[in-house]
Amino acid sequence: MSLVALLFFGLMLLGLPIGYVLGVAGVAGLLQVGGHNFLAMAPKRFFEGLDLFTFLAMPFFIMAGEIMNRTGITTRIVGFADALVGHWRGGLAHTNMVASVIFAGMTGAAVSDTAAFGNTLVPAMVRQGYSRPFSCAVTVAGSIIGPTIPPSNLMIIYGSLMGVSIAGMFAAGILPGLLICLVCMLYIAAVGRRKGLPVSGERFSLRRLLKSLRESFLALLMPAIILGGILLGVVTPTEAAAVAVFYAFFLGVFVFRSLSVQAVYQTLVRTSLITGVVFLIIASASILSWWMTFLQIPQSLAKLFLSISRNPQVVIALILSLLLVIGMFMDINAALIILAPVLGPLTQAIGMDPVHAGVMIVLALNISLMTPPVGACLFVICSITGERLEAIARELWPFILLEVGALFLVAFWPSFTLFMPRLLLGR
Amino acid sequence: MERLLRRVEAFGAALNRGIECLCALLMAALVLVIGFEVLQRYLLHLGLTWGEELSRYLMIWAALLAVPVGAYRREHVGLRFVQNALPARAGRVLRFALDLVGFAFFVFLAVYGVGMAAAGATQYATIFGMTMVVPFASVPACGALTALQILVTLLRDRGEDAAGWKAA
């Protein structure tokens, strides 16, 4: 056990890509418990780790997002959000949040949100007189909404691995996502005057709102199609993802006419590349997780947690702290695959609803995407805008604290999270 | 020596273009298969069931073939802070050594993957009736091609920090 743990943490800290680290540690684990005879299991686990039909939703949602980004749909969504809330003090910061909520209905990964708005909204905010670090912080804080409101890659992974209803988790993610948006907007409103956030000077006009609605209507239909289809039980998440691809493609080629053959090719390559990076992590992690299961590590860890306390609130607080800390250092897909078998049974032992537990775990990992030192969204925003991580971190910590507060509210108030699945799916 | 290195780089770039093209084709096929699947389930009611299995294997092939592309473009990222904290020379040695570790892992995957794929000759996909060699072969293909591309990048970058390296 110690050798595998040493390899895992050592290689990860030295900077070997996490997808390789998991594989090397996993193979070392196989060698340790079964010698050379067990090595043949590695490629088999590697393959079987990916052989799940529900995973198909991931490349499709990635592809739909990629197409949307290339067709200029993002700009239209921002225009609509701006017509809605742009006239407030700190208007563009609010716009950023509202646009994140709409964008969240089409994308499954936080970093695609960061990339889309880091490229468009941050420069616009800076032009209007916001400080660059604050603009970056707002964008990163809003990115967390993307994978919380469905679709969400992490929910697809968790649901597939743990046999929890993906549609149920999708429905349950809606209110927590809106809550995150709300607390961030309240903070922006609260500090607006003190920080001297700019006012655009434009007054709210119904005509402008309707105009932007008309321009973005077809784009706004996308989340409605995805969510409506899944939540009304018409299509499975995978099918909804495929429909989203066709719809985005249709918009890009026939309506907006902004999608060239070259762009389609680039989209296909980019999609398989992003999928490949995530799937390597999943495949390698399933070698390591076999070793963990063989040694009953999940059970011992769960026992350890329960030996500290049997009080559900305390256990939940421990779980959330563990996730937030681990997510600071580790790729969240890898963290989810390794920890899900530990945390799933543990949350059941303290009587949590599986859908509620899944959403809580996913939300905690999402928030860790924006915590220094290695939050993925932070890196994306730094590399896009060229802003220093330390400067962004100074503006970001109030958002982090507020979102962690929202996370605890979600964790301790199951009826809030489960309201939507009960309403829509009659769970 | 310089000429040899240039040859290696040109080889890596050509190989990468080929793999990317294959990935795009597989992805396009995947979209079409699932699109047809949705169509036949809700509109045509043909009751066909092979779509699910075929699309799973297409997905695995497309994703695993993208692993060497990621290695070539250095899109599989790891933590940077130890590397950044080291003096330049030590950082180079470390990155070079890590490339070697990655190379070893994918060689292992290729070698043992061939064994698995060969054993797949006696297994058949449940619905599709196809020999399992075809889907299983994605693992050794991924291992061999990724090992090859890690070798190319190792010679190309020689320990230079090339995270986020993009094909020109």
Side-chain angles (χ1 to χ4, degrees):
Chain A
M1 159 129 190
S2 54
L3 169 78
V4 179
L6 190 73
L7 267 177
F8 179 77
F9 290 110
L11 288 174
M12 189 167 75
L13 282 177
L14 289 178
L16 190 70
I18 183 74
Y20 306 3
V21 173
L22 291 160
V24 173
V27 171
L30 290 181
L31 258 181
Q32 179 225 344
V33 294
H36 290 281
N37 298 333
F38 272 33
L39 285 184
M41 204 137 55
K44 202 141 182 75
R45 292 289 308 172
F46 191 85
F47 181 87
E48 283 165 359
L50 300 177
D51 197 10
L52 282 172
F53 182 69
T54 41
F55 278 170
L56 264 168
M58 269 188 280
F60 285 145
F61 281 130
I62 293 171
M63 198 186 299
E66 282 287 310
I67 299 176
M68 292 300 231
N69 263 343
R70 281 169 206 268
T71 50
I73 287 170
T74 319
T75 330
R76 287 163 200 265
I77 291 173
V78 170
F80 173 69
D82 197 44
L84 212 59
V85 293
H87 56 285
W88 296 346
R89 179 175 287 280
L92 271 183
H94 289 295
T95 299
N96 199 329
M97 285 296 161
V98 173
S100 288
V101 168
I102 303 171
F103 200 69
M106 338 176 173
T107 175
V111 285
S112 53
D113 183 305
T114 318
F117 295 145
N119 275 324
T120 53
L121 267 172
V122 172
M125 287 174 79
V126 171
R127 266 198 306 278
Q128 237 188 54
Y130 295 81
S131 82
R132 189 187 302 275
F134 182 75
S135 311
C136 292
V138 169
T139 305
V140 169
S143 305
I144 307 311
I145 301 168
T148 307
I149 290 182
S152 159
N153 286 349
L154 283 187
M155 289 182 190
I156 295 168
I157 295 177
Y158 187 86
S160 306
L161 293 182
M162 305 305 293
V164 177
S165 154
I166 295 174
M169 287 180 70
F170 275 12
I174 297 175
L175 287 183
L178 292 177
L179 177 68
I180 297 270
C181 176
L182 180 72
V183 294
C184 290
M185 284 176 76
L186 285 176
Y187 170 74
I188 294 168
V191 299
R193 208 164 282 281
R194 194 165 52 79
K195 273 186 181 295
L197 295 185
V199 187
S200 69
E202 250 185 278
R203 297 256 292 274
F204 176 79
S205 109
L206 194 63
R207 185 192 267 162
R208 180 165 161 243
L209 182 66
L210 289 177
K211 184 170 170 286
S212 70
L213 181 64
R214 201 168 54 240
E215 277 167 5
S216 58
F217 180 72
L218 289 172
L220 292 174
L221 260 187
M222 174 103 155
I225 293 173
I226 296 177
L227 298 189
I230 300 171
L231 299 181
L232 296 175
V234 182
V235 287
T236 64
T238 306
E239 290 165 347
V243 171
V245 167
F246 279 102
Y247 184 67
F249 186 76
F250 169 77
L251 286 188
V253 173
F254 297 106
V255 182
F256 302 141
R257 304 199 180 167
S258 45
L259 212 57
S260 61
V261 175
Q262 183 64 24
V264 171
Y265 178 78
Q266 293 294 339
T267 304
L268 291 170
V269 172
R270 189 83 211 139
T271 303
S272 69
L273 181 57
I274 300 172
T275 311
V277 170
V278 177
F279 275 32
L280 173 66
I281 291 170
I282 298 176
S284 298
S286 43
I287 306 178
L288 185 67
S289 71
W290 186 90
W291 167 82
M292 287 177 62
T293 314
F294 187 84
L295 292 184
Q296 302 199 322
I297 292 173
Q299 287 88 330
S300 340
L301 273 176
K303 237 183 244 154
L304 179 74
F305 267 86
L306 291 173
S307 71
I308 298 174
S309 169
R310 288 200 160 264
N311 179 330
Q313 262 84 14
V314 177
V315 175
I316 288 177
L318 285 173
I319 291 175
L320 294 183
S321 318
L322 174 77
L323 288 169
L324 289 170
V325 171
I326 290 216
M328 278 183 195
F329 297 98
M330 201 198 241
D331 174 272
I332 57 170
N333 297 296
L336 184 68
I337 296 164
I338 291 177
L339 289 177
V342 181
L343 299 180
L346 184 60
T347 50
Q348 262 183 345
I350 56 169
M352 279 182 93
D353 180 279
V355 168
H356 176 220
V359 168
M360 174 191 88
I361 292 168
V362 166
L363 182 57
L365 288 173
N366 284 341
I367 291 176
S368 73
L369 281 174
M370 64 173 190
T371 48
V374 298
C377 289
L378 270 178
F379 274 121
V380 171
I381 202 82
C382 289
S383 78
I384 288 177
T385 62
E387 185 55 63
R388 278 177 35 251
L389 200 145
E390 295 77 20
I392 302 174
R394 260 197 300 282
E395 294 286 355
L396 192 61
W397 70 262
F399 288 107
I400 296 179
L401 284 183
L402 283 167
E403 291 190 11
V404 169
L407 168 67
F408 273 87
L409 190 70
V410 165
F412 290 142
W413 188 15
S415 336
F416 175 71
T417 308
L418 293 174
F419 177 77
M420 287 308 256
R422 279 175 186 150
L423 182 75
L424 294 168
L425 304 167
R427 291 173 45 89
Chain B
M1 186 65 188
E2 268 305 304
R3 257 186 59 201
L4 184 72
L5 280 178
R6 268 209 303 278
R7 280 240 176 108
V8 169
E9 272 176 44
F11 166 77
L15 181 63
N16 184 59
R17 269 197 303 278
I19 303 174
E20 281 186 6
C21 190
L22 212 53
C23 284
L25 283 175
L26 287 167
M27 265 297 159
L30 186 58
V31 173
L32 292 178
V33 169
I34 285 287
F36 175 73
E37 179 79 3
V38 174
L39 207 65
Q40 71 96 4
R41 222 181 99 178
Y42 293 98
L43 293 173
L44 307 175
H45 304 288
L46 298 178
L48 300 174
T49 47
W50 49 262
E52 180 187 322
E53 195 156 56
L54 177 62
S55 53
R56 253 186 3 234
Y57 297 148
L58 276 172
M59 164 184 82
I60 294 176
W61 262 102
L64 289 187
L65 276 185
V67 173
V69 177
Y72 179 75
R73 297 198 193 187
R74 295 222 183 250
E75 295 244 1
H76 303 285
V77 288
L79 298 182
R80 307 281 300 280
F81 52 83
V82 171
Q83 289 176 22
N84 291 346
L86 287 175
R89 211 184 142 72
R92 282 184 67 158
V93 173
L94 174 61
R95 279 188 285 271
F96 196 84
L98 289 176
D99 274 349
L100 285 177
V101 175
F103 176 74
F105 171 67
F106 284 100
V107 167
F108 163 84
L109 202 60
V111 171
Y112 279 81
V114 166
M116 172 180 73
T122 53
Q123 299 170 43
Y124 296 91
T126 35
I127 310 169
F128 212 40
M130 174 185 68
T131 155
M132 285 304 283
V133 175
V134 180
F136 283 168
S138 61
V139 176
C142 165
L145 289 170
T146 311
L148 205 57
Q149 290 296 40
I150 290 181
L151 202 59
V152 167
T153 52
L154 183 145
L155 293 170
R156 177 189 72 199
D157 305 333
R158 277 156 282 166
E160 281 315 324
D161 187 359
W165 193 91
K166 297 281 185 316

